[in-house]
Amino acid sequence: MKMKIAELPGDGIGPEVVEQGVKAINVVCGKFGHEVEYAFGYVGACAIDRTGNPYPEETHDICMASDAVLFGAVGDPRYDNDPTSKVRPEQGLLAMRKKLGLYANIRPVETFKTLVSKSPLKTDLVDGVDFVCVRELTGGMYFGDKGRKDNGDTAYDTCIYHRFEVERILKLAFEYAMRRRKHLTVVDKANVLESSRLWRQIAQEMAPSYPEVSVDYMYVDNASMQIIRCPKHFDVLVTENTFGDILTDEASCISGSMGLQASASVGEHTSLFEPIHGSYPQAAGKNIANPIATIISAAMMFEYAFGLTEEGRAIRNAVTASIDQGYVTEDLSEGGVSHYTSEVGDWIADYIRNNR
Ligand code: IPM
Ligand code: MN
């Protein structure tokens, strides 16, 4: 297969971890006989520095002309403590999601056997956890009408959802559940919010079309507790944009490190693959960030964008081997020997090259 990948490292540790993802992709392509070509683009603070725009037209054109996007992170401390800043790196990611129509963000929460002790939660609670969060990504408060009035002393963000937006994300979630353990949890705040009542109404309308799927409904405050109290309850969890943002950070600590959590954003145009961690500016340039989330995102790219499950598995096996053998970055080394980002990337690439 011929594949064209948009490479968008972004800011902070983005370039370091994306480089390791690229290594894994190259080795897999060499091994399985695929031809890969990269197109490099700027997004986030690095794009603002160059063009004034966090998601320049040129980058969008590159994404549209590619089969998949491999993305690192955006964010820069220069903007974090300046609420008056008109332009922000994060706007680049939001614009990219919107313009590529990436309405679904799929965030698997998996655990690695040899790492369960790293979780802040009790081992027996965490061991065997395997669920997927499906987060709506182009609607809700992130994109609703927002602004200031009364001389800037009143601020508002509107949470708005249209039926078609809710239907398409729920359809994806129901179908996902059908391919897994057939259990869907719809998370909302329907006891308070009208937009949540629309979600719940539509979910109830759709449920009879998926008779094999058992559906439960959970308020988001309760869900945030159950994710920690009883994470094995979940198979597929679907929710709106803001709730999904918060719950997936929370869920990431089940596995022991945010540096392990990958994601796929899919929808109308080119799909995008990214680690869920941010730009981690304190570590930028130090070659210490965990590249595994990005490397697993590359595995998701083969699986989701190209339907190449063997290739995805080759990457996943290598990641598991590096963790099992303790060839990891400092966030996972438990005070033992740790390795640099690029070393872990090389180790994983070598493993893919030398193993079936
Ligand atoms: C995420 C991030 C983004 C979000 C930020 C960087 C805009 O936190 O992908 O979860 O809030 O969606
Ligand atoms: Mn987030």
Side-chain angles (χ1 to χ4, degrees), residues 74 90 93-94 97 107 135 137 142 245 249 274 276:
V74 290
E90 290 79 4
L93 179 56
L94 300 183
R97 289 172 177 167
R107 299 187 162 184
R135 168 190 175 193
L137 203 59
Y142 274 60
D245 178 48
D249 261 36
E274 58 167 312
I276 89 155

